[in-house]
Amino acid sequence: MTIEEAEPNPHVLGWIEDSVSFFPSFLDDPYDSTEINCYDWWDPNQDFAHDLINTSATSITSTITTADSSTHTDTTPDTAPTATNPTTTTNHSEESVTQESSKKRKASLDNQDHAQRRNRSLSTIENSGSIDVKPAKPVPGVKRPANKKRSAVSSGNNGNGGNKEGRWAEQLLNPCAAAIAANNLTRVQHLLYVLHELASPTGDPNHRLASHGLRALTYHLSSSTSLPSSAPFTFSTAELRFFQKSILRFNECSPWFAFPSNIVNSSILQVLSEEPDKSRNLHILDIGVSHGAQWPTLLDGLSRRPGGPPLLVRLTVISPTGDGGDSDTPFSMAPPGHDVSPLLLGFAKTLNINLQINRLDNLPLQGLNPQSIDASPDETLIVSAQFRLHHLSHSDRTEFLKSLRALSPKGVILTENNGDCACSGCVDFATGFSRRIEYLWRFLDSTSAAFKGRESEERRMMEGEAARALTSAAEMNEGRERWCERMREAGFAGEGLGEDTVDGGRALLRKHDGNWEMKVEEDSGCHCCVSLGWKGQPVSFCSLWKLSGGGK
Amino acid sequence: MAMAMAIDDAPELDFSAYSTSPTTTTTTTTDDEYGCNWNDWSPVVDWNALSGGQDDFQDLIESMIDESGLQPARSGVNYQEGSNSPSTDTTMFTDEEASRDDSKGLRLVHLLMAAAEALTGVNKCHELARVILVRLKELVSPTDGTNMERLAAHFTEALQGLLEGAGGGHGKHLISSGPQRDDHHHHHQTDVLAAFQLMQDLSPYVKFGHFTANQAILEAVTQHRRVHIVDYDIMEGIQWASLMQALVSRKDGPPSPHLRITALSRGGNGRRSIGTIQETGRRLTAFAASIGQPFSFHQCRLDSDETFRPSSLKLVRGEALIFNCMLHLPHFCYRAPESVASFLSGAKTLNPRLVTLVEEELGPIGDQGFVSRFIDSLHHYSALYDSLEAGFPMQCRARALVERVFLGPRIVGSLARIYRTCGDKEGGSWREWLGATGFRPVDISFANHCQAKLLLGLFNDGYRVEELASNRLVLGWKSRRLLSASIWTSPFDSDSSIS
C-alpha cells in the first residue's frame, strides 16, 4: 500500500459524500464535518468496506423512522428457530432411544432367561398358562465368570461415579434449598432458572435428579396442595398390566427390591426350618411394597423343602390406607384394581400348596392385633415389614413394634431404608431436602445402571415413584442401628441370618451391577442384619428378629 | 500488580442493558426496540412480584451481584417455607412455551453466571460447569440470534477455554497464553479494516476518546511553536489526522505549530493488524503535507517486555511534550499493565505539558472474586452489544463483523485474565494511579464537554456523557459507564518546556 493510494479516489469520495448526511455539521471550531470525514481518507480497502458501510449508512436513516417494525422483524425470526430447535431434536433422540431400547430389551431378556432362573419363575405370573418352575434358591456355589463381573463394574462407573464431583445436580439443588431456607429470593430465582435449563426427565441420572428436584422445590415454593399437573408417572397412575409387568421387570434388573425380597423369603424358610412341627400352618403378615411379586419364589421354596409345604399357607396383606395412612410412602401404592391373588392362587395350586390370601385394605398399622389379622394360636406367624414402617412417626414406632410383638410371631423380618430422617420435625428444610435428594440420587443412579442407561416407560414409572420421596411427608427414615435398638426395646432379639440366606443374597447381587454391595452386620454378637449399598453408600438393610426372653 | 487486573482486560466499553425507562423514549427510538424484553418473563414464578420488580436487565444483574456478595435478598417479600407464598406462580411449566423467546436472554444470563460460579466458587464443580456449557452451546451461536445470544456465545467460548485449561492440562486455550494472544491476529486484514471503519462510523467509542484528547491538546498548545506527542499505541493513527486538520484550521491563531509524533513500537509480536507503524507514519506524513501541516514522524522502540525507557526518546528543547495514552478502545489490543505503568512513570520524569488518558470504566469491583467480575464483564459487554445494535439496527452482517473481529476475541482474552488474576487484590483505574502518583488534573473545557455531547448527538439517544470530575468525561450507554477520558499534567510546576 502506498501513500498515493491513500488519497481518496473517486470511489471513496463518492462514499464520503453519501455519508455526509450521516454526519451533520459539527462544531465549527475546532472540528467540522469535513474534518470528520477525513477519518476515512486513507483507507485503501474502501472497496471492501463499501458495501457494508453503504448499506448501513442508508438504512440507518431509514430505520430511524421505522425503527419499531424493523427491529422486530430483525430479531424475531432469529430467535424463534433457535428456541424451538433443541426441543425437536430432543424428541427425536428420545424416540430413537426408546425404539432401540425395546429391541435390546428383548434381546437381553432372552439372555437373562438362562442366567436368572429365579426371575423366570416369577415371570410365570404373567403368562400363568405355562408354568415352568425352576429351583428358586440360587445355588451358592455357582460363580459367575469373572469377565461378566468386570463388565458390570465398568458399566456402573460410567461418568457419574460415587464421587461428589460428578454429581452436579446436587450442586444446584442443595444450594437452592438452602437459599429457600435463608429466604434469599434472588439466589432461589437464579438457581431455579439454571435447574430449569438443565433438568430433563430422560437424561442421565443427574439430569433426572435435577428434573425431579426442581419439581419438588417448585412444589415446596408453591402453596398448592397438589403436585403440578405435569406430575411424573407414578404407581397409582399407571395402567394395571403395565404396572405389574414393570414391577417384574425392575426386579429382574435391579436388586433395589429384589435383594430384600430374596432375604425375606430365605429368612421365612429359615424360620420355618427351625420349627419342630413341619406341617403346621404358615401365616405370613405382609406389610410391604412388593405388590405380591416376591411370593411365587417363596411358594416355590415351600414346595421344595424337605417334608413338603405346610398344610395351609395364609397370606395376610396389609394394604396402605388412604388419608393419614401410609399411602404417601413411595412404592406402597398400586393402581386401583391391582390384585395378584388369582395369579398367586393359581400358581400355588400348580405346586399343590393350599394358599389362602386375605387382603386388609382399611386396616391402619396401628390397628393390628390378633383379631384383626385373624391369627390363630396353632399357626406359625411370620411378619415381613418392608419399607413401610418409616411412615410411622418416630414416637409411634416402638409402640407399633410392641403391638407386633403382641402377635407373638415366630419371626419378624424388618427391611427399611438405611438413612437419616428428612422430616421437618428432625431437621431443617435444607438438610432434609438434601437427604431426600441423596436417597433419590442412589435410586436414579443405580436404576440407570440397571437399565443400562436406556430409557423406557418402566424406568420412568419407577423413578417417578421414587421421586415421591422428595415431597412425601412420610419420609421419616432412621438408620439401621436406631431401628435395631427399637426392635430390642419392643422385646425382639436379633436372630442370626442363615448361611444360605446370606449366600443367596450374595449370589443375587452378582447378577447386578458391580457397584452394588452387601455387608453382613455384626452387632450384639449376632449377624441379624445385612446391609445393601450402592457405590459405598447405604441403601437399605434387612434384619431378622424373634421374640426375646423365651418367646420361642 | 493489583492495578493490572483492573485494566488489563480489555473491554472498553460496556454496558448496559436494557433499561426500559420511559423517560428516555424520544422521537426516534425507544429502548425497547432493540433486543428482547427482559422484564416480562417468568419461567417459574412471578419474579417481579417476588423480587419487587426488577425492571430491567441491569437491575437484574445488580441483584445478582448482591446475591453473589451474599447480601440479603433485596426483596421485601416474605414467605414461609411450606406455607403460602402469595407471589409464586405455579403455572410456570405450561406458560413458559409462549414466552420462551422473550425469556431466552435472561436464561442465558443465569446459565452463564452459574457456569462461572461452578468454575471457581466455593462449591466449585467442574462437572456442573461442563454440563452448563453444553447446554449453552445448544442455545447460542456467535453469529446468530439476538444480541444476548451472540454475546452469550462468546462468553460460553471463553468459559469453555477456562474449563479446559483448569480441568486438565490441555491448556491449548487462553489460559496458558501469555499476556495476551493477539486479538486481531486471526482475522484477515481487510476484515479488520472494515470492522474498524464500521465501529468508528457507527458508534462514538473511538471518536469520543480521540476528540476529547485532541481538544485538550489543542487548548494546551495554543502558545507553542513546537508540539511533540508521544503516543503509546498509535494503531492506524487516525487520531492525528483530525488533530492536524484542527491545527491548520485554527482561526485567528498563530500559524500552525510544528507537530512531531513519536509512536512507540513493539517488537515483532505481531499486533499491528491495522498496518505497520511505518505505514501509519507514511500516511500521516502524506496527509500533513496535503494540508500544509509541518510534521515529522518518529518511532521509539519499547524493550522486549514492552517497557518504556524515557531515555530512548529524542526530545527537542522548547517543544510542548504530550503523552497520549489510549487504552481499551474497542479495536485496540490488550496491553500489559506493566507496560502502561512504565509509559506513565516515564512520562512523569519528562515533565510533560499534558497527559491524555482514555481507559475503560469498570463496574464497582470490591474484593469479590471471579464471579462478580465475570458478571460485571457480562454487563459491560451487553451494554456494548446493545449500543452497537442501536447503531446498526438492521446491519446484522456489519455488526457481526465488528463482533467477530474485535469483541469476541476481546471477551475471551478478558475473561482469561480475570480468571488468572482473580486471587489478586483489586486495584483501581489508571486515572487513580496517575492521581496517586502526583499528576495534576487539568480541567476539561466547556467546549470540550460540549463537543462530546454533540458527538453523541450524532448517534443513538442511549449514549450519555458525564463529567465525573473536572478533568474527566465518561461515555456511557444508558446507565452503564463505558469509557473514561481524563486529562493530566506534570506533577511539577514547570512551565511546559524541557530544559
Side-chain angles (χ1 to χ4, degrees), chain A residues 1-3 6-7 15 22-32 34-36 38-46 48-49 51-53 55-57 59-60 63-65 67-68 70-76 78-80 82-84 86-87 159-160 164-169 171-172 175 179-194 196-198 204 206-207 214-215 218 220-224 228-230 428-430, chain B residues 28-29 33-35 41 43-45 47 50-51 54 60 63-64 67 71 73-75 77-79 81-85 88 90 92-94 96 100-101 104 106-107 110-111 113-114 117 123-128 131-132 135 138-139 145-146 149 190-191 193-194 197-198 200-202 207 210-211 214-215 218 236 238 241-243 245-246 249 251 279 282-284 286-287 290 389 391 393-399 401 447 451 454-455 458-459:
Chain A
M1 134 190 3
T2 68
I3 293 169
E7 293 293 332
W15 175 79
F22 181 61
F23 298 112
S25 63
F26 199 36
L27 271 192
D28 277 344
D29 187 17
Y31 298 117
D32 60 21
T34 42
E35 182 201 336
I36 293 174
C38 82
Y39 269 58
D40 312 302
W41 52 276
W42 68 77
D43 185 348
N45 293 284
Q46 203 64 62
F48 174 84
D51 278 351
L52 281 178
I53 294 172
T55 0
S56 42
S59 45
I60 277 182
T63 329
I64 286 175
T65 43
D68 235 315
S70 58
T71 342
H72 284 277
T73 48
D74 190 23
T75 51
T76 327
D78 277 351
T79 41
T82 24
T84 48
T87 348
N160 302 305
K164 282 271 181 181
E165 167 71 23
R167 291 159 60 173
W168 56 262
Q171 302 294 325
L172 296 170
I180 288 172
N183 211 14
N184 184 345
L185 294 174
T186 313
R187 180 103 178 128
V188 171
Q189 166 186 357
H190 167 62
L191 291 166
L192 288 181
Y193 263 106
V194 177
H196 196 254
E197 285 303 317
L198 303 181
D204 71 17
N206 271 298
H207 288 103
L214 174 60
R215 183 185 310 279
T218 307
H220 177 81
L221 283 170
S222 73
S223 55
S224 72
S229 55
S230 54
D428 59 74
F429 168 71
Chain B
T28 54
T29 61
E33 283 160 10
Y34 310 109
W41 183 61
V44 178
V45 242
W47 300 120
L50 267 184
S51 52
Q54 291 172 337
L60 173 66
S63 73
M64 291 168 176
E67 165 267 311
Q71 293 170 14
R74 302 189 302 174
S75 145
V77 180
N78 267 321
Y79 66 95
E81 284 180 32
S83 73
N84 288 353
S85 44
T88 55
T90 52
M92 44 194 70
F93 291 106
T94 48
E96 167 193 319
R100 185 163 286 239
D101 291 348
K104 190 165 178 187
L106 193 50
R107 293 155 60 207
H110 280 289
L111 283 172
M113 283 175 50
E117 187 180 336
N123 300 317
K124 148 158 98 168
C125 174
H126 285 167
E127 183 62 15
L128 176 59
V131 170
I132 295 173
R135 176 65 182 145
E138 292 169 1
L139 292 171
T146 63
E149 288 169 50
T190 50
D191 282 6
L193 274 166
Q197 192 86 48
L198 287 163
Q200 71 150 353
D201 286 341
L202 297 175
K207 289 187 176 108
H210 290 169
F211 285 11
N214 284 358
Q215 180 65 24
L218 286 168
E236 70 303 313
I238 204 167
S242 65
L243 180 72
Q245 190 112 38
S249 59
K251 294 176 194 147
E279 285 163 355
R282 281 201 299 275
R283 288 192 203 111
L284 287 172
F287 182 73
S290 75
E389 185 169 67
M394 297 294 289
Q395 281 60 47
C396 302
R397 243 179 91 209
R399 228 171 33 230
L401 187 65
Q451 172 185 281
L454 283 168
L455 170 69
L458 300 180
F459 296 93

Side-chain angles (χ1 to χ4, degrees), chain A residues 308-342:
Chain A
L311 290 178
L312 173 66
V313 177
R314 298 180 64 202
L315 182 60
T316 300
V317 181
I318 314 287
S319 305
T321 52
D323 294 343
D326 60 344
S327 59
D328 202 18
T329 313
F331 303 108
S332 66
M333 290 297 280
H338 171 72
D339 184 6
V340 289
S341 303

Side-chain angles (χ1 to χ4, degrees), chain A residues 92-106:
Chain A
H92 251 283
S93 57
E94 256 171 57
E95 267 170 38
S96 60
V97 167
T98 324
Q99 283 171 0
E100 187 194 22
S101 69
S102 61
K103 262 184 252 151
K104 287 195 183 159
R105 194 185 314 138
K106 211 170 173 193

Side-chain angles (χ1 to χ4, degrees), chain A residues 352-384:
Chain A
N352 287 319
I353 292 177
N354 185 15
L355 177 65
Q356 205 178 77
I357 299 177
N358 186 24
R359 221 172 78 177
L360 301 177
D361 283 336
N362 292 306
L363 181 66
L365 290 183
Q366 290 85 348
L368 276 187
N369 57 52
Q371 292 71 45
S372 62
I373 62 166
D374 192 20
S376 134
D378 53 357
E379 64 186 10
T380 303
L381 177 67
I382 298 178
V383 179
S384 166

Side-chain angles (χ1 to χ4, degrees), chain B residues 11-12 116 130 136 144 150 167 188 215 271 403 408 419 438 480:
Chain B
E12 32 303 12
R130 190 190 63 75
L136 275 166
D144 260 343
R150 298 190 313 276
H188 195 276
Q215 180 65 24
R271 82 178 21 170
E403 291 170 4
Y419 186 77
R480 175 81 191 191

